[in-house]
Amino acid sequence: MMKSAGQDAVTGRVLVVDDHLQARESMADVLRHAGYRVECCSSAPEALNRIEGVPFECIITDLMMPGMNGLEFIVQLEKRRYPAQVVMVTAHATVASAVEAMRHGAFDYIEKPFDVARLEELVGRAIRHGRLVHPEPAGEPDGDASAPVMIGSSRAMQSLRERIAQVAPTAETVLIEGESGTGKELVAQTVHASSARCGKPLVSLNCPVLSAHLMESELFGHERGAFTGADAPRTGRFELADGGSILLDEVTEIDLPLQAKLLRVLQERNFERVGSSQTIRVDVRVLATTNRDLPAEVAAGRFREDLYYRLAVVPLVVPPLRERREDIPLLTEHFLDRCAQRLGRDPCVLEPAAADLLVRYRWPGNVRELENILTRASVLGNGKRVTADELRRWLVAGLEDDAPPAADVGVGLSLEAMERKLIEATLEHYGGHRANTAKALGIGVRTLTGKLRQYGYAPREKAFSRAG
């Protein structure tokens, strides 16, 4: 699925610090294609001079550099209280140093050779986190930097904010419940940013994308030789989150045997890496999200009852969009403005009937679906006012309140199918130019390429080339 309102693409100013020309230019090129403004420095002292008076939101630094190394650089940034989020680039053999860097305020680290999609995702997450912790930008506002963290003035959203204000200052485990696309991860980020742990990392794990074997290693780490392919030790997410918080996104996807190990961590605050008998103690606040009915999962034997009660110490329920329709005009304005900034044009204008249709529609895909529809309208609008009939063709039949379904609609389309139609239409609109298409959609070029591969488009297919 495309990124939710809490995961949407960001722009921002990034500084890459590496003494190897090819390495820093490679990272800079990837991030420029993803829409960031990137500058480079070849040493830590040069970078310390460069940041004077310049509001970089993310700094990517190599660990092994002559003179002042990456860890010493991060310590200097910490002393200066420079607000940028720092990402450490490290080799397998120096993961321990990366963990030490996180203890001095680094947001996260990435290992060499780095995965391009991972780099894009990590930088985006770092900048979003920085904007939550420092909502007022240090310099010139950058696009959506000054946008509200949680948009909506409805009674449901006011109640959610009040509950977050009560929960965030505590150290209690929080279970965030809600349908897909409602913005559960954004709520988790807000809880962390409003807590006493905000100066420490919020480490996320997207549970549905990992097998049980990989998930155990990601959560708890492993020692070299623990299993086939474990050529180097790995630090797990719980260890990286020590002093901060960990977000278990869609926690119901964790297999039952691993749920027992997770329960122990919640109870005893310690664990062992895979392949090790040494117990590691951590101080981590656990935040978990789910789009399922957990009591029903417990009754069906798919989720441990004792783990459920451990997670649901303080539940937060994120309302579906149909239960806070009065927020739709404000969300619409927000998404249209952000699309206009990405596209470099005036915001798309909806006719009154089109705006009314958005309020009356039931939004099975919630805020994520609204964002996708408005992105499509912005890309394909060509400066014309968008009519209700145009919008109705993109909505699912039978889900408009108090109105008969139109004949020309996506009957029975899943959100995945709607996303594919949006991507293909946008790519066609830009003549196959992937960079422009990715920018318009608010995703990275690599993310776009991966989705096109899923759809079966050949890399060199003329209609979907890397033109430009």
Side-chain angles (χ1 to χ4, degrees):
M1 293 299 299
M2 294 183 72
K3 297 175 183 177
S4 69
Q7 298 173 297
D8 46 283
V10 293
T11 57
R13 180 172 286 175
V14 179
L15 181 64
V16 177
V17 186
D18 197 310
D19 60 308
H20 292 287
L21 175 63
Q22 184 175 0
R24 67 176 180 266
E25 287 301 328
S26 175
M27 286 186 284
D29 185 56
V30 167
L31 295 173
R32 287 186 183 114
H33 274 292
Y36 298 99
R37 291 179 292 168
V38 185
E39 297 183 36
C40 297
C41 290
S42 59
S43 69
E46 180 187 353
L48 289 173
N49 289 329
R50 182 69 191 93
I51 65 174
E52 291 296 332
V54 181
F56 290 102
E57 293 189 82
C58 181
I59 296 176
I60 303 171
T61 179
D62 191 26
L63 173 61
M64 303 302 294
M65 295 186 291
M68 183 185 296
N69 64 32
L71 183 56
E72 293 168 333
F73 176 44
I74 289 175
V75 171
Q76 288 299 315
L77 292 173
E78 183 183 31
K79 288 180 179 178
R80 299 180 185 205
R81 298 181 181 272
Y82 192 75
Q85 301 299 301
V86 180
V87 174
M88 173 75 80
V89 180
T90 180
H92 287 291
T94 54
V95 169
S97 297
V99 175
E100 181 64 20
M102 294 181 71
R103 297 188 188 279
H104 285 281
F107 176 76
D108 207 337
Y109 73 94
I110 187 170
E111 297 178 35
K112 295 179 181 177
F114 65 85
D115 176 77
V116 169
R118 163 73 173 153
L119 179 65
E120 285 185 24
E121 184 270 338
L122 187 55
V123 170
R125 210 159 34 85
I127 291 179
R128 281 191 294 271
H129 174 76
R131 291 174 182 176
L132 284 169
V133 177
H134 306 287
E136 294 298 326
E140 178 184 355
D142 183 68
D144 58 353
S146 58
V149 173
M150 293 173 59
I151 297 172
S153 57
S154 63
R155 183 60 219 164
M157 289 302 291
Q158 290 178 32
S159 297
L160 180 58
R161 288 193 186 94
E162 291 168 2
R163 193 72 180 271
I164 290 173
Q166 292 177 316
V167 171
T170 74
E172 300 301 329
T173 301
V174 178
L175 178 65
I176 304 167
E177 302 173 275
E179 297 176 7
S180 294
T182 51
K184 296 186 294 294
E185 183 180 359
L186 179 60
V187 172
Q189 292 169 348
T190 306
V191 169
H192 176 75
S194 304
S195 73
R197 297 170 179 262
C198 62
K200 296 294 183 178
L202 170 62
V203 178
S204 301
L205 182 65
N206 187 8
C207 299
V209 303
L210 297 173
S211 66
H213 173 68
L214 290 176
M215 191 177 296
E216 183 174 10
S217 175
E218 285 293 327
L219 283 172
F220 308 123
H222 65 249
E223 297 295 340
R224 181 178 181 179
F227 50 84
T228 303
D231 300 324
R234 182 174 185 84
T235 303
R237 304 294 176 98
F238 268 99
E239 197 169 347
L240 292 174
D242 192 20
S245 306
I246 188 168
L247 170 58
L248 304 177
D249 198 14
E250 302 304 342
V251 69
T252 50
E253 302 303 316
I254 296 179
D255 286 352
L256 282 168
L258 193 52
Q259 289 179 24
K261 295 186 178 182
L262 178 58
L263 178 64
R264 178 195 164 192
V265 178
L266 291 173
Q267 291 174 329
E268 303 177 14
R269 302 296 172 178
N270 61 51
F271 60 90
E272 291 83 34
R273 289 182 178 180
V274 179
S276 172
S277 59
Q278 180 181 356
T279 299
I280 300 173
R281 295 196 62 83
V282 290
D283 172 22
V284 176
R285 184 185 197 175
V286 176
L287 311 174
T289 72
T290 181
N291 60 11
R292 298 192 185 185
D293 181 344
L294 267 185
E297 294 295 303
V298 170
R302 292 187 292 266
F303 201 82
R304 291 180 62 108
E305 184 176 19
D306 46 6
L307 179 57
Y308 166 63
Y309 288 120
R310 279 285 176 179
L311 289 173
V313 174
V314 183
L316 292 174
V317 179
V318 186
L321 189 54
R322 63 183 173 274
E323 293 182 5
R324 56 182 186 108
R325 295 175 188 269
E326 58 267 49
D327 293 334
I328 291 176
L330 189 60
L331 286 163
T332 297
E333 180 182 1
H334 170 71
F335 289 135
L336 290 178
D337 284 346
R338 187 162 52 198
C339 287
Q341 290 169 5
R342 287 202 304 264
L343 297 169
R345 62 175 71 158
D346 291 334
C348 175
V349 177
L350 305 181
E351 289 191 351
D356 180 64
L357 174 63
L358 295 183
V359 174
R360 289 189 291 118
Y361 182 62
R362 289 188 58 78
W363 298 111
N366 292 295
V367 178
R368 182 186 300 137
E369 184 185 4
L370 174 63
E371 182 181 13
N372 287 352
I373 292 294
L374 293 172
T375 299
R376 175 185 284 196
S378 298
V379 171
L380 304 181
N382 293 323
K384 299 178 182 178
R385 293 169 68 89
V386 178
T387 68
D389 286 341
E390 288 175 298
L391 284 183
R392 190 174 283 112
R393 289 199 299 268
W394 302 334
L395 303 178
V396 179
L399 291 174
E400 180 186 343
D401 285 352
D402 303 319
D408 186 14
V409 290
V411 179
L413 281 182
S414 66
L415 290 180
E416 289 83 357
M418 292 173 65
E419 177 184 279
R420 174 171 177 170
K421 290 172 72 69
L422 173 59
I423 288 175
E424 291 176 338
T426 308
L427 196 60
E428 182 179 358
H429 178 78
Y430 284 102
H433 195 297
R434 292 193 178 186
N436 287 349
T437 299
K439 181 179 179 182
L441 292 170
I443 60 178
V445 175
R446 294 280 178 166
T447 301
L448 173 63
T449 300
K451 289 188 177 294
L452 292 177
R453 288 199 188 100
Q454 293 175 19
Y455 304 155
Y457 292 114
R460 298 181 180 276
E461 192 169 340
K462 182 177 180 181
F464 298 93
S465 68
R466 293 179 178 266

